Amino acid sequence: MLRLLLSLCCLALLPGTALAHVFQLPASQLPGLVNQAPEPYSFFSMQSGRLEPVPHQWLEFSADGFPWFAKDPATRRAGQPGIINAEHRLLLRRSDGGPRLSGNQAEQVVAELEVTLAGETLYYYVVKNAYRQATQRYVRFDQQRMVVRSTDYSLSMKPDNMLIWNDFFYKSFETASGKPETLLDTLKIRMSAGLFSENARITLSNENLEPRIEEVVEGPLAWAVFANTTLHVARVPVMRMRNYFLLMPQQTDIHTRFTLPTVAKTILTPPTLSISMDGNQLYGSKLVTSWTGDKVGVTDGKLSDVESAMVDTPLKGVNWLWFGTGRGFDLLAQLEFLEGFERPVRLLYEDDAILSNAPERFPGQLPNVGFTIEQLPIGKEFYFRAGLYFSENSRGMGPGQYAASVTGTPTVVWRSLD
């Protein structure tokens, strides 16, 4: 544990970690770079009146819109190896953006990149054959110890299962005496279905899943991890799941391709899937969602009428949930589906001081927060992305304003300068 905390502290000493949200900009919006080799190009921004190099990273996405991995036979590579294609995504830290270029600069600036989100406009500059390069690294994944460390948090997972999360430490969340304290009991994944009939139900959890890490792609702003899982019931493969994790300094994206093979119809009724995070006695925390109006849930060890009404309200439209501890850690979670997905989705929220809901390490659900997806299709793949955004205090904004400032789609303007 001491090793984890020391590593977290060392990363936190890197400059400019206040707004570590990472932009993921489609290369299709960067016309001067499409069909070019990425190596000659670096990114700079104005810092204290001078152009300074900032870290960037290219991620390959498949022709189907998923993160692309060489060892994933179920994705189609878009374009040619070693060339930026329209499906690539450029990663830049939001906090590294600066004001517009002013004065004469010694660098060979070939383009200006203007990025606007939620009323904030930032500028980045593309430099060709730059002598100075950014060397900062803001996140690391230690596969041997199964630990993620960034400038802002550390997350440990079970050694043989990337889907079982254990301790989660955030740099500004501490006990009353100033000691680091884990926020998390564990991540919970549940699949419930009728076995041969609706009346005989079985429930499987992430303890029943055995994901295999197939490939890891290292980068300064994100580590991309591809994990593959097959679940058998009565020796029949009833679920295949491909997870693409993007581990970033203040956020984690989990892309999931989920298939219940047609053969599963022989033993299962259409199942329900839930994904949630169980907190470690986070009394006094507040919950707000985008689809339950002005209702606010408060963690106190019992489910109130307001919280029951929130759970009973079906999800619709743009969705996010905001969870604030009031003690130096806020979580914003978003669930996105491919267009056309019409299965019922609702809030999962348990606020109970004594309820046991394995797997867990600490008593009670205080609280257990997430999403439940009902009536999953059998014989057809479906896809969703869970985005988790971490902050100290949501930049001092209200939940709705903060959600718009993080989950909105930025406007990108490319201007050639050479």
Side-chain angles (χ1 to χ4, degrees):
M1 184 62 65
L2 180 59
R3 184 193 299 266
L4 283 180
L5 297 178
L6 288 174
S7 297
L8 182 61
C9 291
C10 290
L11 279 169
L13 293 176
L14 290 170
T17 61
L19 295 175
H21 171 226
V22 174
F23 288 127
Q24 300 180 41
L25 307 179
S28 59
Q29 298 181 332
L30 315 171
L33 297 179
V34 174
N35 297 325
Q36 301 294 315
E39 290 79 11
Y41 298 99
S42 304
F43 288 81
F44 284 60
S45 69
M46 290 292 291
Q47 308 290 337
S48 302
R50 178 183 173 182
L51 270 182
E52 297 291 347
V54 298
H56 75 281
Q57 185 175 344
W58 291 102
L59 282 182
E60 284 197 66
F61 273 64
S62 71
D64 305 298
F66 314 121
W68 181 85
F69 291 86
K71 294 185 179 180
D72 180 15
T75 56
R76 297 177 298 154
R77 190 172 203 163
Q80 299 178 354
I83 300 296
I84 300 170
N85 64 72
E87 303 300 327
H88 273 70
R89 293 192 187 178
L90 171 66
L91 272 54
L92 291 167
R93 286 203 325 154
R94 187 173 187 166
S95 58
D96 286 333
R100 202 159 197 176
L101 181 67
S102 61
N104 296 323
Q105 301 294 331
E107 308 293 348
Q108 185 184 349
V109 179
V110 298
E112 176 184 81
L113 189 58
E114 178 184 288
V115 182
T116 302
L117 178 59
E120 180 182 40
T121 298
L122 300 166
Y123 293 89
Y124 304 85
Y125 291 90
V126 185
V127 175
K128 190 172 184 179
N129 300 322
Y131 174 74
R132 294 183 298 144
Q133 299 288 336
T135 59
Q136 305 97 315
R137 306 185 71 83
Y138 291 93
V139 64
R140 297 188 181 110
F141 173 50
D142 185 334
Q143 189 175 347
Q144 299 302 315
R145 296 184 174 88
M146 291 298 288
V147 175
V148 182
R149 303 183 185 96
S150 88
T151 48
D152 294 86
Y153 71 91
S154 72
L155 168 65
S156 62
M157 294 164 279
K158 189 175 179 180
D160 58 350
N161 193 330
M162 195 172 184
L163 294 176
I164 296 181
W165 294 5
N166 296 318
D167 287 329
F168 178 93
F169 292 96
Y170 196 77
K171 65 178 184 180
S172 53
F173 186 85
E174 301 174 335
T175 64
S177 60
K179 296 181 179 180
E181 182 177 18
T182 181
L183 283 141
L184 186 64
D185 185 338
T186 190
L187 173 74
K188 296 185 176 181
I189 300 174
R190 297 279 190 280
M191 189 177 77
S192 176
L195 182 61
F196 299 109
S197 74
E198 191 64 38
N199 294 327
R201 296 192 70 80
I202 60 170
T203 299
L204 304 172
S205 75
N206 33 340
E207 288 191 324
N208 302 110
L209 305 178
E210 297 181 356
R212 299 189 314 273
I213 295 179
E214 307 282 3
E215 187 175 354
V216 177
V217 178
E218 175 184 349
L221 300 182
W223 283 57
V225 181
F226 165 43
N228 199 13
T229 305
T230 300
L231 176 66
H232 293 80
V233 174
R235 298 185 179 180
V236 176
V238 298
M239 184 195 73
R240 294 190 178 95
M241 182 167 64
R242 286 180 166 83
N243 287 121
Y244 312 121
F245 297 86
L246 301 183
L247 309 170
M248 292 169 275
Q250 275 190 341
Q251 68 201 83
T252 293
D253 284 359
I254 307 174
H255 297 255
T256 300
R257 298 171 66 184
F258 198 98
T259 304
L260 301 169
T262 302
V263 67
K265 289 183 179 180
T266 62
I267 63 171
L268 296 182
T269 63
T272 294
L273 177 71
S274 67
I275 302 173
S276 61
M277 290 173 54
D278 185 6
N280 175 25
Q281 304 184 56
L282 301 178
Y283 285 102
S285 300
K286 296 181 179 180
L287 175 71
V288 175
T289 83
S290 59
W291 68 94
T292 55
D294 58 359
K295 295 181 176 65
V296 179
V298 179
T299 303
D300 57 6
K302 56 184 182 297
L303 198 66
S304 68
D305 292 341
V306 169
E307 292 164 347
S308 294
M310 294 172 73
V311 171
D312 291 338
T313 304
L315 184 150
K316 60 181 179 180
V318 176
N319 73 82
W320 49 260
L321 64 81
W322 174 90
F323 181 78
T325 65
R327 292 173 49 196
F329 175 78
D330 292 351
L331 168 70
L332 181 72
Q334 182 185 40
L335 200 62
E336 290 185 312
F337 300 94
L338 285 181
E339 187 175 351
F341 184 86
E342 297 178 352
R343 295 298 190 272
V345 182
R346 58 184 175 85
L347 172 70
L348 190 160
Y349 184 76
E350 295 175 329
D351 184 3
D352 193 306
I354 59 175
L355 178 66
S356 178
N357 187 356
E360 59 186 13
R361 300 178 298 147
F362 307 117
Q365 315 300 305
L366 293 166
N368 185 27
V369 182
F371 298 91
T372 297
I373 309 167
E374 300 174 340
Q375 301 174 23
L376 298 181
I378 295 179
K380 181 181 179 182
E381 179 182 274
F382 74 97
Y383 160 86
F384 63 90
R385 182 195 71 89
L388 306 175
Y389 304 88
F390 316 128
S391 71
E392 180 176 349
N393 66 349
S394 302
R395 300 179 66 185
M397 302 177 181
Q401 185 183 8
Y402 177 66
S405 75
V406 171
T407 65
T409 301
T411 300
V412 178
V413 178
W414 170 277
R415 298 184 183 93
S416 294
L417 300 179
D418 56 352

